[in-house]
Amino acid sequence: MNQKLSAGLRTALCILLLALAYVLQTSLGLRISLFGMHIDLLPLVVAAAGIVMGPGAGLACGLAAGVLYDVSGAGIEGMYPFYYMICGIVCGLFRGRFNGREIRGTMLCSVCIITVLAVLRYLFYFQFGSTGILPFVRDMVLQALLAVVFSPLVLVIVRRISGRKKPKAAVLPPDA
């Protein structure tokens, strides 16, 4: 990618990546699953965009991811855009904490996004249905493991979109 791209164009490319990931994971012919769990790539893209490009891009990608979930009719209207916007902003705010260790930050943020959303879904459905805790925990752990496995791949793609190379590790001053 050309490093002269504007921040808006980079964010638009990330949103296009979100749309592509959404189409791949929801199309009937390409249901990607491991261990019986379907892979959810949208939280990974939101986390990577926030970590690599900052809170503004995280907000925009979070809004786009939430709208894509709302379009599918997967939950309460407006909840997903609000949730993913907050997640994208928080990931972007933690961007400085992971200098030189973006892969850890993306993995951690992805797992947190997926886990908190799973807990919210469980608490909501627990009121209206009878779902056991063990299947819920199993599914949540498997989703988190899949997020850890696929986060590096998504991070590499988002870095390419942002025009950044792998950051150099922070150099610590010698002890005096």
Side-chain angles (χ1 to χ4, degrees):
M1 284 277 148
N2 186 0
Q3 294 216 4
K4 304 271 192 237
L5 294 178
S6 69
L9 185 57
R10 291 177 188 168
T11 303
L13 288 172
C14 272
I15 292 171
L16 187 63
L17 175 66
L18 275 167
L20 179 65
Y22 179 76
V23 168
L24 283 175
Q25 75 185 27
T26 59
S27 64
L28 295 175
L30 297 171
R31 290 294 288 190
I32 305 167
S33 67
L34 291 170
F35 311 116
M37 293 297 303
H38 294 289
I39 300 165
D40 193 4
L41 298 172
L42 273 62
L44 308 180
V45 176
V46 171
I51 292 289
V52 172
M53 294 192 284
L59 179 139
C61 288
L63 175 64
V67 167
L68 288 171
Y69 278 115
D70 272 357
V71 166
S72 70
I76 301 169
E77 289 183 23
M79 182 187 88
Y80 286 114
F82 183 69
Y83 175 75
Y84 281 109
M85 281 189 329
I86 290 173
C87 291
I89 292 169
V90 169
C91 291
L93 291 175
F94 281 110
R95 177 183 184 192
R97 297 258 185 209
F98 300 111
N99 265 347
R101 298 179 304 272
E102 286 179 342
I103 192 164
R104 290 182 195 167
T106 303
M107 285 179 182
L108 179 65
C109 287
S110 298
V111 168
C112 287
I113 290 171
I114 288 171
T115 303
V116 170
L117 185 60
V119 168
L120 290 173
R121 284 179 181 159
Y122 180 76
L123 291 176
F124 179 74
Y125 291 125
F126 181 70
Q127 291 178 337
F128 303 110
S130 58
T131 307
I133 189 78
L134 291 178
F136 160 73
V137 170
R138 183 201 68 213
D139 291 348
M140 186 175 64
V141 168
L142 286 174
Q143 283 285 345
L145 288 174
L146 288 174
V148 167
V149 169
F150 286 98
S151 287
L153 175 66
V154 172
L155 179 64
V156 167
I157 294 169
V158 171
R159 272 191 198 142
R160 295 284 299 179
I161 288 172
S162 72
R164 291 183 50 206
K165 303 288 184 208
K166 183 178 176 183
K168 295 178 183 177
V171 178
L172 299 174
D175 291 335

